Amino acid sequence: MLESKDLLGIKELSADDIYHVLETSDGFMDVLRRDIKKVPPLRGKTVVSLFYEPSTRTRTSFTLAAKRLSADIVNFSLSSSSIVKGESIQDTALTIQALGADFVIIRHASSGVPHSLSRLLNISVINAGDGANEHPTQALLDLFTIRAHKKKIEGLNVAIIGDIAHSRVAKSNIYALTKLGANVKVICPPTLMPVEIGQLGVEVHHSIEDGIKKADVVMTLRLQLERQSKGFLPSLKEYFNLYGLTSERLKLAKKDAIVMHPGPMNRGVEIASDVADGPQSVILEQVTNGIAVRMAVLYLLSGVKE
Amino acid sequence: MKILIKTGYVIDPSQNIDGVKDVLINGKKIQGIFPKGKSPSADKTIDVAGCIVIPGLVDMHTHLREPGYEYKETIKTGTMAAVKGGFTTVCCMPNTDPINDTISVTEFILKKADEEGSCAVFPIAAITKGENGEAMTELEALIKAGSIAFSDDGKPVMNSLIMRRALEYSKIFGVPVISHCEDLKLSEGGVMNEGINSTLLGLKGIPKAAEEVMVARDISLSELTGGKLHIAHVSTEGSVRLIREAKTRGVNVTAETCPHYFSLTDDSLKGYDTNFKVNPPLRTDKDVSAIKQGIKDGTIDVIATDHAPHHYDDKNREFDTAAFGISGLETAFALGLKLVEDRVVDLNTLVAKMTFAPSKIMGISKGTLKKDADADIAIIDTKKRFTVDAGKFLSKGKNSAFNGWKLNGVVLKTIAMGKVYEWE
């Protein structure tokens, strides 16, 4: 069990908490390998997902996780709810609580929304991505995937390449990896580097060749295509020339390095197709592992004993 | 009616008075300051031994929200909050709806203030029509109607040529042009200071340079034109440095800061509490130190409130979309007093920066206890401790960044144009 009723971010977790989630996820991985992939611990519990931003994979992953734990899950989505009628997020959240939900899974474009809901509600709040702040379950599933391949996290060289400034995935991964003792290198153009990121205990690189050297893990991030129009970059082509993950560049990493991407990918922008589909890629494993990790999170927050 | 305010510790920087004295009021005017026990007789005597007696505070940067945003604040409630905080004069910013860019709005504010206000209200008119930064307002007509200064506060005048023209043209009247220094391209989308805390919170930052490039620009334009420039709400170390350097060269520039910029840093935002969301944003320890230094060495002339009351619903929302601003009239003096307690300035300097200095910049005969001046007085127990309870503010805006703070300095009585307001 976790100490908090909520999962707001990795920032709020201890290394022990993170290991606890990973170990619990192991058990659920076994469940997912069975023919009948359903277990009963959340029977009678209700999960509501409240997504203010479009999402396919995270939402589907949470939905499957809840269903496999035998919970009832209801999706509140932007187009079908009173959000479009101008209801405040606080009122929407209180309504969901009044409907009898036990969990609310929230995604919002504004950082800090899960935190304010956490103060407002008695039920568990799970952050499924808030602004440029955090996406904790993505980091947990990334750690789970790394651990599955590398057996440990401590001492690994992890290169994170891409739009770090706007990436909640990068932030959560930086917090998680540094808490567990990995050496994190962030690589991107200065226009996309968060200010004073070095204070988080990461190495800052503007050259992919420098940053990727001897990496055990190479993680690329999605580049929002609008970054070009907003003046962060001269062109997507130039971005690919400078920062695209190609098989040439991947050779600078360790031979057994794994390649990760949180999806959805822009092939030919941040990653070359032969790398995305190549033997070192674990991108689809990440997706599968996501369900087990989200099952673990729901399970641990529910306080249900085995 | 004559009222004698007896045995208070009188501080009036406008005439270098500092000591236990008696102040006599006759109707709406000050009759004089007398040595203890030497005053002529009065109809009523108030003994204020142990308290300071100072000119009523003058706020040169207030948002009264009326007309247009009466649900946030009105001239009535805003001036009630003012007198509660020891203020007897407020200069209200023009970003209402409609904007104070025509004489009818200026006249409306003055009429409302006359009918419902608790203290003196001086309107500040917009520099440009609709605060759209394109065409100058009719300065002469607005001044004639009663506006005393010009500002597009809430927004900068982004067009440097228009700002140049405003600084030039305003010289006819000798009125200040008050600049809200913010490069809107650099600050676009930002909701807090850019730095490690914006990285940690995942919120979009507003770099200090967004303020400083405009401070530098406006100093250059003031130097070019000789226009009377006043820099509003200084929040950064760099701005203090630029203004200090400009003053050394004799540029016609003055500056203000607000209590939150010397009392708080962006560390306060860690819980995403929107009561700390303000523009310009709360900065860092370094900036707070530099601002204190600027207050101390005179670079910063004035402590203003930038009282920005908001309705609960405007603050109780996503951090990105919540309104900017702090309701400040009822805590300003006590926060200023902390500067005295921390030995940044002496009490006389603090009082000067909240009375005489802003009056002088605005060209109004307020902020003084001189004979025949308006009977505007604040009586404050500087040793009395209180806990800030924003829920009990007289302002409609309960959006304080200091709720729960324990501060010294309780305003016991405020006298505005001879009318006595008292609490406790």
Side-chain angles (χ1 to χ4, degrees):
Chain A
M1 254 163 289
L2 298 170
E3 286 195 8
S4 162
K5 71 177 172 72
D6 310 305
L7 177 65
L8 300 179
I10 303 293
K11 242 183 300 194
E12 288 83 3
L13 298 183
S14 65
D16 282 348
D17 289 335
I18 296 170
Y19 280 123
H20 192 31
V21 174
L22 300 182
E23 280 152 19
T24 309
S25 306
D26 288 333
F28 289 116
M29 252 343 259
D30 294 339
V31 172
L32 295 179
R33 289 191 192 100
R34 291 181 203 158
D35 188 30
I36 310 276
K37 299 181 175 61
K38 197 157 183 156
V39 285
L42 261 62
R43 194 160 53 198
K45 300 276 182 184
T46 305
V47 180
V48 174
S49 77
L50 179 58
F51 276 50
Y52 286 78
E53 276 188 334
S55 157
T56 312
R57 62 191 62 217
T58 303
R59 186 170 212 159
T60 306
S61 180
F62 267 114
T63 304
L64 286 171
K67 287 189 169 177
R68 282 170 183 176
L69 290 168
S70 306
D72 297 314
I73 179 153
V74 183
N75 293 323
F76 247 67
S77 67
L78 203 64
S79 55
S80 65
S81 79
S82 43
I83 298 163
V84 289
K85 297 176 189 163
E87 185 176 58
S88 82
I89 186 159
Q90 285 85 356
D91 287 336
T92 304
L94 287 168
T95 302
I96 289 169
Q97 177 166 278
L99 286 167
D102 301 287
F103 297 88
V104 59
I105 298 167
I106 171 86
R107 168 169 286 192
H108 201 285
S110 184
S111 300
V113 164
H115 307 70
S116 54
L117 295 193
S118 142
R119 285 191 290 266
L120 183 70
L121 304 178
N122 302 318
I123 62 177
S124 288
V125 176
I126 298 173
N127 182 359
D130 65 322
N133 181 41
E134 286 221 45
H135 190 352
T137 57
Q138 178 71 42
L140 291 167
L141 76 87
D142 288 343
L143 258 66
F144 184 86
T145 308
I146 295 169
R147 178 170 152 275
H149 285 268
K150 303 291 173 191
K151 307 303 169 211
K152 62 174 174 69
I153 307 290
E154 197 180 346
L156 291 179
N157 292 322
V158 182
I160 305 178
I161 310 157
D163 184 0
I164 314 282
H166 300 91
S167 174
R168 53 197 175 210
V169 174
K171 297 277 194 47
S172 285
N173 267 302
I174 288 167
Y175 299 132
L177 289 161
T178 51
K179 280 183 186 197
L180 268 46
N183 307 313
V184 180
K185 298 164 191 203
V186 290
I187 305 160
C188 71
T191 47
L192 295 176
M193 193 69 84
V195 288
E196 300 178 37
I197 187 85
Q199 288 192 37
L200 301 183
V202 299
E203 252 180 58
V204 174
H205 291 275
H206 299 136
S207 149
I208 186 168
E209 284 79 9
D210 289 348
I212 206 172
K213 249 176 235 161
K214 303 231 170 78
D216 298 286
V217 177
V218 181
M219 195 181 285
T220 55
L221 302 170
R222 176 180 171 77
L223 183 82
Q224 298 291 340
L225 302 179
E226 80 214 32
R227 299 293 170 236
Q228 183 193 341
S229 59
K230 288 271 167 89
F232 291 95
L233 305 163
S235 72
L236 297 177
K237 191 175 114 219
E238 181 154 317
Y239 181 80
F240 184 73
N241 288 344
L242 282 168
Y243 297 100
L245 185 61
T246 60
S247 45
E248 276 305 300
R249 285 174 172 149
L250 188 55
K251 282 179 194 151
L252 299 168
K254 285 189 186 158
K255 266 202 181 101
D256 61 349
I258 55 170
V259 172
M260 306 176 76
H261 193 297
M265 283 185 283
N266 294 307
R267 289 167 183 260
V269 178
E270 69 261 4
I271 189 165
S273 276
D274 61 336
V275 176
D277 304 331
Q280 286 167 276
S281 167
V282 298
I283 295 169
L284 293 173
E285 274 177 51
Q286 287 173 268
V287 177
T288 311
N289 295 342
I291 300 171
V293 169
R294 291 181 174 115
M295 287 171 81
V297 167
L298 284 165
Y299 174 79
L300 290 170
L301 291 177
S302 74
V304 180
K305 301 226 165 38
E306 262 176 283
Chain B
M1 184 164 95
K2 289 191 177 187
I3 302 173
L4 181 66
I5 300 158
K6 213 178 86 177
T7 56
Y9 193 93
V10 179
I11 299 171
D12 181 8
S14 75
Q15 40 185 344
N16 291 316
I17 288 175
D18 177 359
V20 176
K21 301 196 186 287
D22 295 344
V23 181
L24 185 65
I25 297 170
N26 186 1
K28 293 182 173 184
K29 299 287 176 186
I30 306 255
Q31 185 167 331
I33 300 177
F34 302 90
K36 198 176 150 188
K38 296 279 157 63
S39 162
S41 63
D43 306 311
K44 187 181 165 191
T45 300
I46 308 172
D47 193 327
V48 296
C51 294
I52 59 164
V53 176
I54 60 174
L57 304 175
V58 176
D59 188 20
M60 67 180 290
H61 195 143
T62 315
H63 295 273
L64 291 176
R65 304 296 189 207
E66 190 175 2
Y69 304 102
E70 290 83 356
Y71 72 103
K72 291 177 191 271
E73 190 82 288
T74 61
I75 290 168
K76 185 177 177 181
T77 57
T79 54
M80 277 163 50
V83 292
K84 184 83 204 291
F87 290 90
T88 53
T89 301
V90 293
C91 304
C92 59
M93 283 296 176
N95 56 342
T96 47
D97 183 17
I99 283 167
N100 181 20
D101 59 358
T102 52
I103 56 171
S104 55
V105 179
T106 297
E107 284 167 354
F108 169 84
I109 293 166
L110 289 171
K111 183 165 176 286
K112 270 273 179 179
D114 189 47
E115 289 168 359
E116 300 175 5
S118 301
C119 69
V121 174
F122 291 95
I124 297 167
I127 300 171
T128 65
K129 288 173 187 156
E131 286 198 355
N132 63 13
E134 285 164 19
M136 245 192 289
T137 53
E138 293 175 333
L139 269 62
E140 190 259 353
L142 287 159
I143 291 167
K144 211 174 251 175
S147 286
I148 60 163
F150 293 84
S151 179
D152 276 3
D153 189 59
K155 287 184 194 171
V157 177
M158 279 296 282
N159 184 325
S160 305
L161 180 61
I162 299 292
M163 191 63 176
R164 174 200 173 147
R165 297 286 185 242
L167 281 163
E168 276 174 329
Y169 192 78
S170 63
K171 283 164 64 182
I172 304 173
F173 315 101
V175 292
V177 174
I178 302 172
S179 179
H180 167 114
C181 291
E182 175 185 1
D183 183 309
L184 293 176
K185 287 291 176 191
L186 284 173
S187 66
E188 193 177 354
V191 294
M192 66 172 292
N193 181 49
E194 180 177 302
I196 183 65
N197 282 323
S198 64
T199 292
L200 282 169
L201 291 166
L203 291 171
K204 186 149 189 325
I206 300 173
K208 295 173 192 179
E211 175 172 315
E212 291 156 6
V213 296
M214 292 299 266
V215 171
R217 181 200 75 169
D218 288 347
I219 285 170
S220 289
L221 293 176
S222 170
E223 200 164 16
L224 175 71
T225 60
K228 187 172 176 180
L229 171 69
H230 178 79
I231 309 285
H233 42 54
V234 169
S235 77
T236 78
E237 184 188 16
S239 297
V240 174
R241 193 166 51 231
L242 287 161
I243 295 161
R244 181 182 294 128
E245 189 270 344
K247 283 187 163 186
T248 310
R249 279 187 294 114
V251 180
N252 193 4
V253 60
T254 53
E256 79 195 23
T257 191
C258 312
H260 37 279
Y261 300 119
F262 60 72
S263 307
L264 295 168
T265 68
D266 63 357
D267 286 342
S268 306
L269 280 85
K270 279 181 176 160
Y272 296 98
D273 184 342
T274 57
N275 282 323
F276 297 103
K277 183 177 174 185
V278 61
N279 189 25
L282 301 177
R283 305 288 186 180
T284 67
D285 281 327
K286 265 181 85 181
D287 299 290
V288 168
S289 305
I291 282 166
K292 285 182 178 170
Q293 184 57 38
I295 292 170
K296 187 179 179 141
D297 68 20
T299 303
I300 293 173
D301 307 86
V302 168
I303 294 170
T305 67
D306 195 3
H307 176 72
H310 285 293
H311 190 274
Y312 175 78
D313 294 342
D314 298 331
K315 280 289 190 181
N316 183 36
R317 46 186 305 151
E318 297 89 319
F319 199 93
D320 281 339
T321 56
F324 287 100
I326 291 170
S327 178
L329 282 168
E330 290 166 77
T331 49
F333 188 78
L335 290 162
L337 211 50
K338 274 181 79 72
L339 295 176
V340 178
E341 289 160 11
D342 298 344
R343 296 176 188 280
V344 175
V345 288
D346 59 26
L347 187 53
N348 292 38
T349 308
L350 174 71
V351 172
K353 285 181 195 291
M354 296 183 79
T355 57
F356 184 56
S359 304
K360 201 172 150 204
I361 292 166
M362 297 302 261
I364 54 178
S365 52
K366 291 286 191 179
T368 175
L369 299 176
K370 278 184 185 152
K371 187 173 183 322
D372 298 328
D374 292 333
D376 287 346
I377 299 172
I379 298 165
I380 300 169
D381 185 343
T382 55
K383 292 183 191 76
K384 189 164 179 177
R385 208 160 173 75
F386 72 105
T387 303
V388 178
D389 182 355
K392 291 191 176 146
F393 278 3
L394 298 184
S395 167
K396 283 193 184 183
K398 314 300 181 195
N399 50 306
S400 175
F402 303 99
N403 199 29
W405 280 41
K406 290 187 170 55
L407 296 168
N408 291 326
V410 175
V411 179
L412 299 179
K413 292 181 175 62
T414 301
I415 301 170
M417 294 291 275
K419 184 166 180 197
V420 182
Y421 297 86
E422 54 193 321
W423 302 274
E424 314 256 325

